Amino acid sequence: MSAPSSTTTGITAPQSDIDLFSDEVLSVNDDAVFAQLRELGPVVYLPANDAYAITHYGEVRAALSDPVTFSSKAVAFNPQMNEILSGTSLAADPPEHGKLRAILTDNLSPRAMRGMKDDINASARQLVSELIQQDSFDGMADMAVAFPVSVVLDLIGVQGDLRERILPWGEAAFNLLGPLNERAQASFPVAGELFKWTHEEMQGADLAEGSIGRAIFEASERGDISPESFGYIVHQILAAGMDTTITTIGNALVLLGQHPEQFQKLREDVSLVPSALAEVLRLRTPAPVFGRRATTDVVVGGTLIPAGSQVAMCYGAANMDPQKFENPDVFDITRNAVDHIGFGYGIHSCAGQGLAKLEINGLLTAWAQQVEDYRIGAVVPRLNNFTRPYESIEITDIRRA
């Protein structure tokens, strides 16, 4: 880490002994951890992670708007994963980022997604109709996992036995975006299977005709992107297109079940579904910390971040910043927090958010229309270095509308 330049001024960051990726932190509500960091200042140095955490909404959003100063070549919190991600839009800076991103956005644009809306909504209605015939079900396995996995694998064109292997592959890949702790080390062999398939074994013929995966393969054959980028991009869609969506569906079920008055508002007016989703993403950001690298000495909120430093963009802290959101701890589906950064911000905002919104809006609409009331039973968390999923969510006492 370089010393501050003589032309850069700013106070030294306060420090905290919090480890953002420890079992202790991941197993508790992030709100308390992020609140503690926000109170220390807009920038806090974390020796346990050797990273500068940016915690306030305004500062996080401004940093995300400046990819020159805050490089995505350190999106992960370990050098091995950053090297593996080299060549993906997730870990690329301008100008390389633009071409890689275009391949994703062309296939995941609102226009491209529009044709899928009716099928996704019909599938959501069918799934909810089947689930509510039961006395209880697991909101994670039976809904939050089952629905997006089916949609995304069809979208990519994944066929056969591989469909059963994709979800654990994706979860392992997310674990590797944190530091190389025990959780990440255990994930390397599993994630390695995903990397081997997407980068060495996968062929265009493996993916269904008319799928996005097949279209990306054909783009590589035409020379629009490099052959290496084909595997990277499919890998990104598979990993990011499911895990954060799965987490958000689980969060929506839990929050609406824990706040029945909000669920009743949704039932009475399903046009509130997009606003409800925004509030879920704000209150329970599915991937609350992303990495960056400071390319130069930079002052953020009056605090100096030295050149070369690992930076932790705390989306989860920013989304709960009382300077931005009034009564941020309150779950209010009428808040319409459209300026949350649950999907990130700037050139690296989630490329798959259009698909995620279609999936989640379809499920929440079907759930509100077909269910009068329900209860949340046992909720079991699942520790992951990057996302905040549940292992299981017991849905009970379902009253059909």
Side-chain angles (χ1 to χ4, degrees):
M1 187 178 300
S2 66
S5 70
S6 60
T7 59
T8 304
T9 59
I11 64 171
T12 302
Q15 294 193 18
S16 170
D17 61 1
I18 287 173
D19 176 355
L20 291 173
F21 305 97
S22 68
D23 287 4
E24 180 183 9
V25 168
L26 297 181
S27 62
V28 301
N29 192 323
D30 278 326
D31 296 352
V33 173
F34 286 140
Q36 183 179 340
L37 292 177
R38 274 197 314 272
E39 289 170 5
L40 288 172
V43 177
V44 180
Y45 179 64
L46 307 176
N49 307 125
D50 191 18
Y52 287 80
I54 304 181
T55 66
H56 290 190
Y57 178 92
E59 282 75 8
V60 171
R61 184 160 164 156
L64 293 174
S65 303
D66 184 1
V68 174
T69 303
F70 296 96
S71 170
S72 292
K73 292 183 179 180
V75 68
F77 287 80
N78 67 83
Q80 290 92 328
M81 191 61 174
N82 284 324
E83 179 64 28
I84 289 170
L85 289 172
S86 177
T88 69
S89 65
L90 181 66
D93 295 328
E96 294 84 3
H97 171 266
K99 189 171 184 179
L100 293 169
R101 172 82 175 199
I103 301 297
L104 285 174
T105 54
D106 285 351
N107 289 283
L108 295 174
S109 67
R111 183 175 64 180
M113 296 293 99
R114 199 173 297 127
M116 303 174 58
K117 184 175 181 179
D118 290 344
D119 288 343
I120 286 177
N121 288 344
S123 296
R125 289 192 295 269
Q126 179 64 30
L127 176 61
V128 170
S129 177
E130 292 171 357
L131 289 175
I132 64 176
Q133 302 304 316
Q134 308 173 41
D135 293 331
S136 65
F137 66 90
D138 182 349
M140 284 303 293
D142 299 333
M143 181 185 287
V145 171
F147 188 64
V149 165
S150 175
V151 170
V152 171
L153 295 190
D154 286 347
L155 186 68
I156 294 296
V158 179
Q159 306 174 83
D161 295 341
L162 280 170
R163 294 176 73 93
E164 299 299 320
R165 301 163 68 185
I166 293 294
L167 186 62
W169 281 355
E171 182 182 3
F174 269 109
N175 265 325
L176 292 176
L177 291 172
L180 292 181
N181 55 18
E182 290 184 13
R183 200 166 15 259
Q185 296 285 358
S187 295
F188 257 119
V190 181
E193 295 175 11
L194 171 62
F195 298 140
K196 184 176 182 182
W197 179 63
T198 55
H199 296 77
E200 299 176 16
E201 300 175 347
M202 182 174 54
Q203 300 294 320
D206 295 336
L207 306 172
E209 288 278 0
S211 66
I212 282 181
R214 191 64 170 263
I216 297 170
F217 173 75
E218 290 168 357
S220 71
E221 284 199 318
R222 291 192 303 269
D224 294 345
I225 60 172
S226 69
E228 295 81 10
S229 293
F230 163 58
Y232 282 129
I233 293 170
V234 170
H235 171 201
Q236 278 185 259
I237 297 176
L238 286 171
M242 293 189 298
D243 290 71
T244 51
T245 303
I246 288 167
T247 298
T248 301
I249 293 169
N251 286 336
L253 285 173
V254 170
L255 285 168
L256 290 168
Q258 292 174 339
H259 299 84
E261 78 289 350
Q262 296 297 312
F263 183 57
Q264 290 309 310
K265 287 182 182 179
L266 194 63
R267 290 195 64 247
E268 293 164 6
D269 183 2
V270 293
S271 71
L272 287 172
V273 164
S275 175
L277 172 55
E279 183 69 344
V280 170
L281 287 162
R282 183 195 69 81
L283 195 66
R284 293 287 181 270
T285 305
V289 180
F290 272 78
R292 293 290 191 273
R293 178 81 65 198
T295 61
T296 185
D297 292 346
V298 58
V299 174
V300 176
T303 303
L304 177 67
I305 300 178
S309 300
Q310 176 77 55
V311 177
M313 299 285 189
C314 295
Y315 295 8
N319 279 332
M320 296 293 287
D321 188 345
Q323 296 181 56
K324 172 62 181 178
F325 299 103
E326 186 177 357
N327 299 321
D329 296 331
V330 174
F331 178 56
D332 178 6
I333 68 167
T334 67
R335 186 191 300 268
N336 199 24
V338 293
D339 48 357
H340 70 83
I341 51 175
F343 284 133
Y345 184 74
I347 66 169
H348 284 284
S349 62
C350 177
Q353 63 182 282
L355 175 60
K357 289 175 182 177
L358 273 184
E359 294 176 279
I360 302 168
N361 286 347
L363 268 183
L364 291 183
T365 299
W367 188 248
Q369 289 174 333
Q370 296 186 47
V371 174
E372 183 175 325
D373 194 17
Y374 69 104
R375 295 287 179 271
I376 298 293
V379 176
V380 180
R382 183 177 180 85
L383 303 190
N384 186 281
N385 281 337
F386 214 66
T387 57
R388 299 293 186 272
Y390 296 106
E391 179 72 34
S392 61
I393 302 168
E394 185 183 16
I395 307 291
T396 66
D397 300 333
I398 303 165
R399 284 194 294 163
R400 298 191 293 273

